[in-house]
Amino acid sequence: MEPDSAETVWRGKLLAVTVEQWGDHEREIVEHPGAVAIVSVDTEWQIAFVRQLREATRSSLLEIPAGTREPGEDPLTTAKRELREECGLTGGEWSELGAFWTTPGFSREYMHVFLAEDVERGEAAPEADEMLEIVRRPAADAAALTDGIEDAKTLAGLFLYLTSRATTRAR
C-alpha cells in the first residue's frame, strides 16, 4: 500500500516527520531507522536492566538494554554493540526472540528483540549523553519482574523471553 502523496516536513539527527495523504486523511509519520532490545542472561543467571532518565516521560524507567540501528546496520550487530556499551556484557549465545512495530499509529520504528545467554560481564561504556544505572535481577524471577515496568519494549522482551522458555520446556 502506498499513500497518494508524501512530503518530509522536518528532519532531525535521528528522526524525520513525513506528512502522507491517504485519500481524505492526512497522517504525520515519524521516520525511524529501527531499533533493537536485548534480554540478556549472564553466566550468573542474572538479567541486566538499565535505569535511565527518559525526558519524554519526565522520569527514570527500568528497561532492558536497547538502541537505535545505524543506517544499513544489521540488527544483531546493533544489539551486540548496545549490550556491550550499556552493560559491558559480551559473548554468549544469541537468538532473535521476535520483532514488532513499536507504535504503528504514527511511527515506522521496527524493533528486533534478542536473547543473549551466558554473556560475560565486563566494563560498560555508555555514550556521553547516557546516564545509566545497571540493575541485575534473577532470571528465575522473570515473570515477577514485569511488576512496575512501564516501558513497552521491556514488557514485550520479558514476555517473549518467558514464552521462549515455556516453548523450550514443552519440547
Coordinates of all heavy atoms in Angstrom, one line a residue, residues 14-113:
L14 N 18.2 12.1 14.1 CA 17.8 10.7 14.1 C 16.5 10.5 13.4 O 16.3 9.4 12.8 CB 17.7 10.3 15.6 CG 17.2 8.9 15.9 CD1 18.1 7.9 15.4 CD2 17.0 8.7 17.4
L15 N 15.6 11.4 13.6 CA 14.2 11.2 13.1 C 13.9 12.2 12.0 O 14.5 13.2 11.8 CB 13.2 11.4 14.2 CG 13.5 10.6 15.5 CD1 12.5 11.0 16.6 CD2 13.3 9.1 15.2
A16 N 12.8 11.9 11.3 CA 12.2 12.8 10.3 C 10.7 12.6 10.5 O 10.2 11.6 11.0 CB 12.6 12.5 8.9
V17 N 10.0 13.6 10.0 CA 8.5 13.6 10.0 C 8.0 13.7 8.6 O 8.4 14.7 7.9 CB 7.8 14.6 10.9 CG1 6.3 14.6 10.8 CG2 8.3 14.5 12.3
T18 N 7.2 12.8 8.1 CA 6.6 12.8 6.8 C 5.1 13.0 6.9 O 4.5 12.3 7.8 CB 6.9 11.5 6.1 OG1 8.3 11.3 6.0 CG2 6.3 11.4 4.7
V19 N 4.6 13.9 6.1 CA 3.1 14.0 6.1 C 2.7 13.3 4.8 O 3.1 13.5 3.7 CB 2.7 15.5 6.0 CG1 1.2 15.6 5.8 CG2 3.2 16.2 7.3
E20 N 1.8 12.3 5.0 CA 1.2 11.5 3.9 C -0.2 11.8 3.8 O -1.0 12.0 4.7 CB 1.4 10.0 4.2 CG 2.9 9.6 4.3 CD 3.1 8.1 4.5 OE1 2.1 7.4 4.9 OE2 4.2 7.7 4.4
Q21 N -0.7 11.7 2.5 CA -2.1 11.9 2.2 C -2.6 10.6 1.7 O -2.1 9.9 0.8 CB -2.2 12.9 1.1 CG -3.6 13.5 0.9 CD -4.1 14.3 2.1 OE1 -3.3 15.1 2.6 NE2 -5.3 14.2 2.4
W22 N -3.6 10.1 2.4 CA -4.3 8.8 2.2 C -5.8 9.2 1.9 O -6.6 9.2 2.8 CB -4.2 7.9 3.3 CG -2.8 7.3 3.6 CD1 -1.8 8.0 4.2 CD2 -2.3 6.1 3.2 NE1 -0.7 7.2 4.3 CE2 -1.0 6.0 3.6 CE3 -2.8 5.0 2.4 CZ2 -0.2 4.9 3.4 CZ3 -2.0 3.9 2.2 CH2 -0.7 3.9 2.7
G23 N -6.1 9.4 0.6 CA -7.5 9.8 0.3 C -7.7 11.2 1.0 O -7.0 12.1 0.8
D24 N -8.8 11.2 1.8 CA -9.2 12.4 2.5 C -8.4 12.6 3.8 O -8.7 13.5 4.6 CB -10.7 12.4 2.8 CG -11.5 12.5 1.5 OD1 -11.0 13.0 0.5 OD2 -12.7 12.0 1.6
H25 N -7.6 11.6 4.2 CA -6.9 11.6 5.5 C -5.4 11.9 5.4 O -4.7 11.4 4.6 CB -7.1 10.2 6.2 CG -8.5 9.8 6.3 ND1 -9.3 10.3 7.2 CD2 -9.2 8.9 5.6 CE1 -10.5 9.7 7.1 NE2 -10.5 8.8 6.1
E26 N -5.0 12.8 6.3 CA -3.6 13.2 6.3 C -3.0 12.5 7.6 O -3.6 12.5 8.6 CB -3.5 14.7 6.4 CG -2.1 15.2 6.4 CD -2.1 16.7 6.3 OE1 -2.1 17.3 5.2 OE2 -2.0 17.3 7.4
R27 N -1.8 12.0 7.4 CA -1.2 11.3 8.5 C 0.2 11.9 8.7 O 1.0 12.0 7.7 CB -1.1 9.8 8.3 CG -2.4 9.1 8.2 CD -3.0 9.0 9.6 NE -4.3 8.2 9.5 CZ -5.5 8.8 9.7 NH1 -5.6 10.0 9.9 NH2 -6.5 8.0 9.6
E28 N 0.6 12.1 9.9 CA 2.0 12.5 10.2 C 2.7 11.3 10.7 O 2.3 10.6 11.6 CB 2.0 13.6 11.3 CG 1.3 14.8 10.9 CD 1.1 15.8 12.1 OE1 1.2 15.4 13.2 OE2 0.7 16.9 11.8
I29 N 3.8 10.9 10.0 CA 4.6 9.7 10.3 C 6.0 10.0 10.7 O 6.7 10.8 10.0 CB 4.6 8.8 9.0 CG1 3.3 8.6 8.4 CG2 5.4 7.5 9.3 CD1 2.3 7.8 9.2
V30 N 6.4 9.4 11.8 CA 7.8 9.6 12.3 C 8.6 8.5 11.6 O 8.3 7.3 11.7 CB 7.9 9.4 13.8 CG1 9.3 9.5 14.3 CG2 7.1 10.5 14.5
E31 N 9.6 9.0 10.9 CA 10.6 8.1 10.2 C 11.7 7.7 11.2 O 12.3 8.6 11.8 CB 11.2 8.7 9.0 CG 10.2 9.3 8.0 CD 9.4 8.2 7.2 OE1 9.8 7.0 7.4 OE2 8.4 8.5 6.5
H32 N 12.0 6.4 11.4 CA 12.9 6.0 12.4 C 13.8 4.9 11.7 O 13.2 4.0 11.0 CB 12.2 5.5 13.6 CG 13.1 5.2 14.8 ND1 13.8 4.1 14.9 CD2 13.3 5.9 15.9 CE1 14.5 4.1 16.0 NE2 14.2 5.2 16.7
P33 N 15.1 4.8 12.0 CA 15.9 3.8 11.4 C 15.8 2.4 11.9 O 16.3 1.4 11.4 CB 17.3 4.3 11.6 CG 17.2 5.2 12.8 CD 15.9 5.8 12.8
G34 N 15.0 2.2 13.0 CA 14.8 0.9 13.6 C 15.6 0.8 14.8 O 16.6 1.5 15.1
A35 N 15.3 -0.2 15.6 CA 15.9 -0.4 16.9 C 16.0 -1.8 17.3 O 15.4 -2.7 16.7 CB 15.2 0.4 18.0
V36 N 16.8 -2.1 18.4 CA 16.9 -3.4 19.0 C 16.7 -3.3 20.5 O 16.9 -2.2 21.1 CB 18.3 -4.0 18.7 CG1 18.5 -4.1 17.2 CG2 19.4 -3.2 19.3
A37 N 16.4 -4.4 21.1 CA 16.3 -4.6 22.5 C 16.8 -5.9 22.9 O 16.7 -6.9 22.1 CB 14.9 -4.4 23.0
I38 N 17.4 -6.1 24.0 CA 18.1 -7.3 24.4 C 17.7 -7.8 25.8 O 17.8 -7.0 26.8 CB 19.6 -7.2 24.4 CG1 20.1 -6.5 23.1 CG2 20.3 -8.5 24.6 CD1 20.4 -5.1 23.1
V39 N 17.2 -9.0 25.9 CA 17.1 -9.7 27.1 C 18.4 -10.5 27.3 O 18.7 -11.4 26.5 CB 15.9 -10.7 27.2 CG1 15.8 -11.4 28.5 CG2 14.6 -9.9 26.9
S40 N 19.2 -10.1 28.3 CA 20.5 -10.8 28.5 C 20.5 -11.5 29.8 O 20.0 -11.0 30.8 CB 21.6 -9.7 28.4 OG 21.4 -8.8 29.5
V41 N 21.0 -12.7 29.7 CA 21.1 -13.6 30.9 C 22.6 -13.9 31.0 O 23.2 -14.6 30.1 CB 20.3 -14.9 30.8 CG1 20.4 -15.7 32.1 CG2 18.8 -14.5 30.5
D42 N 23.2 -13.4 32.1 CA 24.7 -13.6 32.2 C 25.0 -15.0 32.8 O 24.1 -15.8 33.1 CB 25.3 -12.5 33.0 CG 24.9 -12.4 34.5 OD1 24.5 -13.4 35.0 OD2 25.0 -11.3 35.0
T43 N 26.3 -15.3 33.0 CA 26.7 -16.6 33.4 C 26.3 -16.8 34.9 O 26.4 -18.0 35.3 CB 28.3 -16.7 33.3 OG1 28.9 -15.6 34.0 CG2 28.7 -16.7 31.9
E44 N 25.8 -15.8 35.6 CA 25.3 -16.0 37.0 C 23.8 -16.0 37.0 O 23.2 -15.8 38.0 CB 25.9 -14.9 37.9 CG 27.4 -15.0 38.0 CD 28.0 -13.8 38.8 OE1 27.2 -13.2 39.6 OE2 29.2 -13.6 38.7
W45 N 23.1 -16.2 35.8 CA 21.7 -16.2 35.7 C 21.0 -15.0 36.1 O 19.9 -15.0 36.7 CB 21.1 -17.5 36.3 CG 21.5 -18.7 35.6 CD1 22.6 -19.5 35.8 CD2 20.8 -19.2 34.4 NE1 22.6 -20.5 34.9 CE2 21.5 -20.4 34.0 CE3 19.7 -18.9 33.7 CZ2 21.1 -21.1 32.9 CZ3 19.3 -19.6 32.7 CH2 20.0 -20.7 32.3
Q46 N 21.6 -13.8 35.8 CA 21.0 -12.5 36.1 C 20.6 -11.8 34.8 O 21.4 -11.9 33.8 CB 22.0 -11.6 36.9 CG 22.5 -12.2 38.2 CD 21.4 -12.1 39.2 OE1 20.9 -11.0 39.5 NE2 21.1 -13.2 39.9
I47 N 19.5 -11.2 34.8 CA 19.0 -10.4 33.6 C 19.5 -9.0 33.9 O 19.3 -8.5 35.0 CB 17.5 -10.5 33.4 CG1 17.1 -11.9 33.1 CG2 17.1 -9.5 32.3 CD1 15.6 -12.0 32.9
A48 N 20.1 -8.4 32.9 CA 20.6 -7.0 33.1 C 19.5 -6.0 32.6 O 18.9 -6.2 31.5 CB 21.9 -6.8 32.3
F49 N 19.2 -5.0 33.4 CA 18.4 -3.9 33.1 C 19.2 -2.6 33.2 O 20.2 -2.6 33.8 CB 17.2 -3.8 34.0 CG 16.2 -5.0 34.0 CD1 16.5 -6.1 34.7 CD2 15.1 -4.9 33.2 CE1 15.6 -7.2 34.7 CE2 14.2 -6.0 33.1 CZ 14.5 -7.1 33.9
V50 N 18.7 -1.5 32.6 CA 19.3 -0.2 32.8 C 18.2 0.7 33.3 O 17.0 0.7 32.8 CB 20.0 0.3 31.5 CG1 21.2 -0.5 31.2 CG2 19.0 0.4 30.3
R51 N 18.5 1.5 34.2 CA 17.6 2.6 34.7 C 18.1 3.9 34.1 O 19.3 4.2 34.3 CB 17.5 2.6 36.2 CG 16.5 3.6 36.7 CD 16.4 3.7 38.2 NE 16.3 2.4 38.9 CZ 15.3 1.7 39.0 NH1 14.1 2.0 38.5 NH2 15.3 0.5 39.7
Q52 N 17.3 4.6 33.4 CA 17.8 5.8 32.8 C 16.7 6.8 32.7 O 15.5 6.5 32.6 CB 18.4 5.6 31.4 CG 17.5 5.0 30.3 CD 18.2 4.7 29.1 OE1 19.1 5.5 28.6 NE2 17.9 3.6 28.4
L53 N 17.1 8.1 32.7 CA 16.1 9.2 32.5 C 15.6 9.2 31.1 O 16.3 9.1 30.1 CB 16.8 10.5 32.8 CG 16.0 11.8 32.4 CD1 14.8 11.9 33.4 CD2 16.9 13.0 32.6
R54 N 14.3 9.2 31.0 CA 13.6 9.4 29.7 C 12.9 10.7 29.8 O 11.8 10.8 30.4 CB 12.6 8.2 29.5 CG 13.3 6.9 29.3 CD 14.3 6.9 28.1 NE 14.7 5.6 27.7 CZ 15.5 5.4 26.7 NH1 15.9 6.4 25.9 NH2 15.8 4.2 26.4
E55 N 13.4 11.7 29.1 CA 12.9 13.0 29.2 C 11.4 13.1 28.8 O 10.7 13.9 29.4 CB 13.8 14.0 28.3 CG 15.2 14.2 28.9 CD 16.2 13.2 28.4 OE1 15.8 12.1 27.9 OE2 17.4 13.4 28.7
A56 N 11.0 12.4 27.8 CA 9.6 12.4 27.4 C 8.7 12.0 28.5 O 7.5 12.5 28.6 CB 9.4 11.5 26.2
T57 N 9.1 11.1 29.4 CA 8.2 10.7 30.5 C 8.4 11.5 31.8 O 7.7 11.3 32.7 CB 8.4 9.2 30.8 OG1 9.7 9.0 31.4 CG2 8.3 8.3 29.6
R58 N 9.5 12.3 31.7 CA 9.9 13.1 32.9 C 10.2 12.2 34.1 O 9.9 12.6 35.3 CB 8.9 14.2 33.2 CG 8.8 15.2 32.1 CD 7.9 16.3 32.4 NE 7.9 17.5 31.5 CZ 8.0 17.6 30.2 NH1 8.2 16.5 29.5 NH2 7.9 18.7 29.6
S59 N 10.7 11.0 33.8 CA 11.1 10.1 34.9 C 12.2 9.1 34.4 O 12.5 9.1 33.2 CB 9.8 9.3 35.3 OG 9.4 8.5 34.3
S60 N 12.7 8.4 35.4 CA 13.6 7.3 35.0 C 12.9 6.0 34.9 O 12.0 5.7 35.8 CB 14.7 7.2 36.1 OG 15.5 8.3 36.1
L61 N 13.2 5.3 33.9 CA 12.5 4.0 33.7 C 13.5 2.8 33.8 O 14.6 3.0 33.4 CB 11.8 4.0 32.3 CG 10.8 5.0 32.0 CD1 10.2 4.9 30.6 CD2 9.6 4.9 33.0
L62 N 13.0 1.7 34.2 CA 13.8 0.5 34.2 C 13.5 -0.3 32.9 O 12.3 -0.5 32.6 CB 13.4 -0.4 35.4 CG 14.3 -1.6 35.7 CD1 15.7 -1.2 36.0 CD2 13.7 -2.4 36.8
E63 N 14.5 -0.5 32.1 CA 14.4 -1.1 30.8 C 15.4 -2.2 30.5 O 16.5 -2.2 31.1 CB 14.6 0.0 29.7 CG 13.8 1.3 29.9 CD 14.2 2.4 29.0 OE1 14.7 2.1 27.9 OE2 13.9 3.5 29.3
I64 N 15.1 -3.0 29.6 CA 16.1 -3.9 29.1 C 17.0 -3.0 28.2 O 16.6 -2.0 27.6 CB 15.6 -5.1 28.3 CG1 14.7 -4.7 27.2 CG2 14.9 -6.1 29.3 CD1 14.1 -5.9 26.3
P65 N 18.3 -3.4 28.0 CA 19.2 -2.6 27.1 C 18.6 -2.5 25.7 O 18.0 -3.5 25.2 CB 20.5 -3.4 27.1 CG 20.4 -4.2 28.4 CD 19.0 -4.5 28.6
A66 N 18.8 -1.4 25.1 CA 18.2 -1.2 23.7 C 19.0 -0.1 23.0 O 19.7 0.7 23.7 CB 16.8 -0.8 23.8
G67 N 18.8 0.0 21.7 CA 19.4 1.1 21.0 C 18.9 1.2 19.6 O 18.3 0.3 19.1
T68 N 19.3 2.3 18.9 CA 18.9 2.6 17.6 C 19.9 2.0 16.6 O 21.1 2.1 16.8 CB 18.8 4.1 17.4 OG1 17.8 4.6 18.3 CG2 18.3 4.5 16.0
R69 N 19.4 1.5 15.5 CA 20.3 1.0 14.4 C 20.9 2.1 13.7 O 20.3 3.1 13.4 CB 19.5 0.1 13.5 CG 19.1 -1.2 14.1 CD 18.1 -2.0 13.2 NE 18.8 -2.3 12.0 CZ 18.1 -2.7 10.9 NH1 16.8 -2.9 10.9 NH2 18.8 -3.0 9.8
E70 N 22.2 1.9 13.3 CA 22.8 2.9 12.4 C 22.3 2.5 11.0 O 21.9 1.4 10.7 CB 24.4 2.7 12.4 CG 25.0 3.0 13.7 CD 25.0 4.4 14.1 OE1 24.9 5.3 13.2 OE2 24.9 4.7 15.3
P71 N 22.3 3.5 10.0 CA 21.8 3.2 8.7 C 22.5 2.0 8.1 O 23.7 1.9 8.1 CB 22.2 4.5 7.9 CG 22.2 5.6 9.0 CD 22.8 4.9 10.2
G72 N 21.7 1.0 7.6 CA 22.3 -0.2 7.0 C 22.8 -1.2 7.9 O 23.3 -2.2 7.5
E73 N 22.8 -0.9 9.2 CA 23.4 -1.9 10.2 C 22.5 -3.1 10.4 O 21.3 -2.9 10.6 CB 23.7 -1.1 11.5 CG 24.5 -1.9 12.5 CD 24.8 -1.1 13.8 OE1 23.9 -0.3 14.2 OE2 25.9 -1.3 14.3
D74 N 23.1 -4.2 10.5 CA 22.4 -5.5 10.8 C 21.9 -5.4 12.2 O 22.6 -4.9 13.1 CB 23.3 -6.6 10.6 CG 22.7 -7.9 11.1 OD1 21.8 -8.4 10.4 OD2 23.2 -8.5 12.1
P75 N 20.6 -5.8 12.5 CA 20.1 -5.7 13.9 C 20.9 -6.4 14.9 O 21.1 -5.9 16.0 CB 18.7 -6.4 13.7 CG 18.3 -6.2 12.3 CD 19.6 -6.3 11.5
L76 N 21.5 -7.6 14.6 CA 22.3 -8.3 15.6 C 23.6 -7.6 15.9 O 24.0 -7.5 17.1 CB 22.6 -9.7 15.1 CG 23.5 -10.6 16.0 CD1 22.8 -10.8 17.4 CD2 23.7 -12.0 15.4
T77 N 24.2 -6.9 14.9 CA 25.4 -6.1 15.1 C 25.0 -5.0 16.1 O 25.8 -4.7 17.0 CB 25.9 -5.6 13.8 OG1 26.2 -6.7 13.0 CG2 27.1 -4.7 14.0
T78 N 23.9 -4.3 15.9 CA 23.4 -3.3 16.7 C 23.2 -3.8 18.2 O 23.7 -3.2 19.1 CB 22.1 -2.6 16.2 OG1 22.2 -2.2 14.9 CG2 21.7 -1.5 17.1
A79 N 22.6 -4.9 18.3 CA 22.3 -5.5 19.6 C 23.6 -5.8 20.4 O 23.7 -5.4 21.6 CB 21.4 -6.7 19.5
K80 N 24.5 -6.4 19.7 CA 25.8 -6.7 20.4 C 26.5 -5.4 20.8 O 27.1 -5.4 21.9 CB 26.7 -7.6 19.5 CG 26.1 -9.0 19.4 CD 27.0 -9.9 18.5 CE 26.5 -11.3 18.5 NZ 27.4 -12.2 17.7
R81 N 26.5 -4.4 20.0 CA 27.2 -3.1 20.3 C 26.5 -2.5 21.5 O 27.1 -2.0 22.4 CB 27.1 -2.2 19.1 CG 27.6 -0.8 19.4 CD 27.7 0.1 18.1 NE 26.5 0.1 17.3 CZ 25.4 0.7 17.5 NH1 25.2 1.5 18.6 NH2 24.4 0.6 16.6
E82 N 25.2 -2.4 21.5 CA 24.4 -1.8 22.5 C 24.6 -2.5 23.9 O 24.7 -1.8 24.9 CB 22.9 -1.7 22.2 CG 22.7 -0.7 21.1 CD 22.9 0.8 21.5 OE1 22.9 1.1 22.7 OE2 23.2 1.6 20.6
L83 N 24.6 -3.8 23.9 CA 24.7 -4.5 25.1 C 26.1 -4.3 25.7 O 26.2 -4.2 27.0 CB 24.4 -6.0 24.9 CG 24.4 -6.9 26.2 CD1 23.2 -6.4 27.1 CD2 24.2 -8.4 25.9
R84 N 27.1 -4.3 24.9 CA 28.5 -4.0 25.4 C 28.6 -2.6 25.9 O 29.1 -2.4 27.0 CB 29.5 -4.3 24.2 CG 30.9 -4.1 24.6 CD 31.9 -4.2 23.4 NE 31.7 -3.2 22.5 CZ 31.1 -3.3 21.3 NH1 30.7 -4.5 20.9 NH2 31.0 -2.3 20.4
E85 N 28.1 -1.6 25.2 CA 28.2 -0.2 25.6 C 27.4 0.0 26.9 O 27.9 0.6 27.8 CB 27.6 0.7 24.5 CG 28.5 0.9 23.3 CD 27.9 1.8 22.2 OE1 26.8 2.3 22.5 OE2 28.5 1.9 21.2
E86 N 26.1 -0.4 26.9 CA 25.3 -0.1 28.1 C 25.6 -0.9 29.3 O 25.4 -0.4 30.4 CB 23.8 -0.2 27.7 CG 23.4 0.8 26.7 CD 21.9 0.8 26.4 OE1 21.1 0.1 27.0 OE2 21.5 1.7 25.6
C87 N 25.9 -2.2 29.1 CA 26.0 -3.1 30.3 C 27.4 -3.7 30.4 O 27.7 -4.4 31.4 CB 25.0 -4.2 30.2 SG 23.3 -3.5 30.3
G88 N 28.3 -3.6 29.4 CA 29.6 -4.3 29.5 C 29.5 -5.8 29.3 O 30.4 -6.5 29.7
L89 N 28.4 -6.3 28.7 CA 28.2 -7.7 28.5 C 28.6 -8.1 27.1 O 28.2 -7.4 26.1 CB 26.7 -8.1 28.8 CG 26.3 -7.8 30.2 CD1 24.7 -8.0 30.3 CD2 27.0 -8.7 31.2
T90 N 29.3 -9.2 27.0 CA 29.8 -9.7 25.7 C 29.7 -11.2 25.6 O 29.6 -11.9 26.6 CB 31.3 -9.2 25.4 OG1 32.1 -9.8 26.5 CG2 31.4 -7.7 25.4
G91 N 29.9 -11.7 24.4 CA 30.0 -13.1 24.1 C 28.6 -13.7 24.2 O 27.6 -13.1 24.0
G92 N 28.6 -15.0 24.6 CA 27.3 -15.7 24.8 C 26.7 -16.2 23.5 O 27.2 -16.1 22.4
E93 N 25.5 -16.8 23.7 CA 24.7 -17.4 22.6 C 23.6 -16.4 22.3 O 22.9 -16.0 23.2 CB 24.2 -18.8 23.0 CG 25.2 -19.8 23.3 CD 26.0 -20.2 22.0 OE1 25.3 -20.3 20.9 OE2 27.2 -20.4 22.1
W94 N 23.4 -16.1 21.0 CA 22.4 -15.1 20.6 C 21.3 -15.7 19.8 O 21.6 -16.6 18.9 CB 23.1 -14.0 19.9 CG 23.9 -13.1 20.7 CD1 25.1 -13.4 21.2 CD2 23.6 -11.8 21.2 NE1 25.6 -12.3 22.0 CE2 24.6 -11.3 21.9 CE3 22.5 -10.9 21.0 CZ2 24.7 -10.0 22.5 CZ3 22.5 -9.7 21.5 CH2 23.6 -9.2 22.3
S95 N 20.1 -15.3 20.0 CA 18.9 -15.7 19.1 C 17.9 -14.5 19.1 O 17.9 -13.7 20.0 CB 18.3 -17.0 19.6 OG 17.8 -16.8 21.0
E96 N 17.2 -14.5 18.1 CA 16.1 -13.4 18.0 C 14.8 -14.0 18.5 O 14.4 -15.1 18.1 CB 15.9 -13.0 16.5 CG 15.0 -11.8 16.4 CD 15.0 -11.1 15.1 OE1 15.8 -11.4 14.2 OE2 14.1 -10.3 14.9
L97 N 14.3 -13.2 19.5 CA 13.0 -13.6 20.1 C 11.8 -13.2 19.3 O 10.8 -13.8 19.4 CB 12.9 -13.1 21.5 CG 13.9 -13.6 22.6 CD1 13.8 -12.8 23.9 CD2 13.6 -15.1 22.8
G98 N 11.9 -12.1 18.6 CA 10.8 -11.6 17.8 C 11.1 -10.2 17.3 O 12.2 -9.6 17.6
A99 N 10.2 -9.6 16.6 CA 10.3 -8.3 16.1 C 8.9 -7.7 15.9 O 7.9 -8.4 15.7 CB 11.0 -8.3 14.7
F100 N 8.8 -6.3 16.1 CA 7.5 -5.7 16.0 C 7.6 -4.2 15.7 O 8.6 -3.6 15.9 CB 6.7 -5.9 17.3 CG 7.5 -5.5 18.6 CD1 7.5 -4.2 19.0 CD2 8.3 -6.4 19.2 CE1 8.2 -3.8 20.1 CE2 9.0 -6.0 20.4 CZ 9.0 -4.7 20.8
W101 N 6.5 -3.7 15.3 CA 6.3 -2.2 15.1 C 6.1 -1.6 16.5 O 5.2 -2.1 17.2 CB 5.2 -1.8 14.2 CG 5.4 -2.3 12.8 CD1 4.7 -3.4 12.3 CD2 6.2 -1.8 11.8 NE1 5.2 -3.6 11.0 CE2 6.1 -2.5 10.7 CE3 7.0 -0.7 11.8 CZ2 6.7 -2.3 9.5 CZ3 7.7 -0.4 10.6 CH2 7.6 -1.2 9.5
T102 N 6.8 -0.6 17.0 CA 6.7 -0.1 18.3 C 5.4 0.7 18.5 O 4.7 0.5 19.5 CB 7.9 0.7 18.7 OG1 8.0 1.8 17.8 CG2 9.2 -0.1 18.8
T103 N 5.1 1.6 17.6 CA 4.0 2.5 17.7 C 3.4 2.7 16.2 O 3.6 3.8 15.7 CB 4.3 3.8 18.3 OG1 5.5 4.3 17.8 CG2 4.5 3.7 19.8
P104 N 2.8 1.7 15.7 CA 2.4 1.7 14.3 C 1.4 2.8 13.9 O 1.2 3.1 12.7 CB 1.9 0.4 14.0 CG 1.4 -0.2 15.3 CD 2.4 0.4 16.3
G105 N 0.8 3.5 14.9 CA -0.2 4.5 14.6 C 0.5 5.8 14.0 O -0.2 6.6 13.3
F106 N 1.8 6.0 14.3 CA 2.5 7.2 13.8 C 4.0 7.0 13.6 O 4.6 8.0 13.2 CB 2.2 8.3 14.8 CG 2.9 8.2 16.1 CD1 4.2 8.6 16.4 CD2 2.2 7.6 17.2 CE1 4.8 8.4 17.6 CE2 2.8 7.4 18.4 CZ 4.1 7.8 18.6
S107 N 4.5 5.8 13.7 CA 6.0 5.7 13.6 C 6.3 4.5 12.8 O 5.7 3.4 12.8 CB 6.6 5.6 15.0 OG 8.0 5.3 14.9
R108 N 7.4 4.6 12.1 CA 8.0 3.5 11.3 C 9.1 2.8 12.1 O 9.9 2.0 11.5 CB 8.5 3.9 9.9 CG 7.3 4.2 9.0 CD 7.8 4.2 7.5 NE 6.7 4.4 6.6 CZ 6.2 5.6 6.3 NH1 6.7 6.7 6.8 NH2 5.2 5.7 5.4
E109 N 9.2 2.9 13.4 CA 10.2 2.2 14.2 C 9.8 0.7 14.3 O 8.8 0.4 14.7 CB 10.3 2.8 15.6 CG 11.4 2.1 16.4 CD 11.5 2.6 17.8 OE1 10.5 3.3 18.3 OE2 12.5 2.4 18.4
Y110 N 10.8 -0.1 13.8 CA 10.6 -1.5 13.8 C 11.7 -2.1 14.7 O 12.9 -1.7 14.5 CB 10.7 -2.1 12.4 CG 10.3 -3.6 12.3 CD1 8.9 -3.9 12.4 CD2 11.2 -4.6 12.2 CE1 8.5 -5.2 12.3 CE2 10.7 -5.9 12.1 CZ 9.4 -6.2 12.1 OH 8.9 -7.5 12.0
M111 N 11.3 -2.8 15.7 CA 12.3 -3.3 16.8 C 12.5 -4.8 16.7 O 11.5 -5.5 16.7 CB 11.8 -2.8 18.1 CG 12.7 -3.2 19.3 SD 12.3 -2.5 20.8 CE 13.0 -0.8 20.6
H112 N 13.7 -5.2 16.8 CA 14.1 -6.6 16.9 C 14.5 -6.9 18.4 O 15.3 -6.1 18.9 CB 15.3 -6.9 16.0 CG 15.0 -6.8 14.6 ND1 14.7 -7.8 13.8 CD2 15.0 -5.7 13.8 CE1 14.4 -7.4 12.5 NE2 14.6 -6.1 12.5
V113 N 14.0 -7.9 19.0 CA 14.3 -8.3 20.3 C 15.1 -9.6 20.3 O 14.7 -10.6 19.7 CB 13.0 -8.5 21.2 CG1 13.4 -8.9 22.6 CG2 12.2 -7.3 21.2

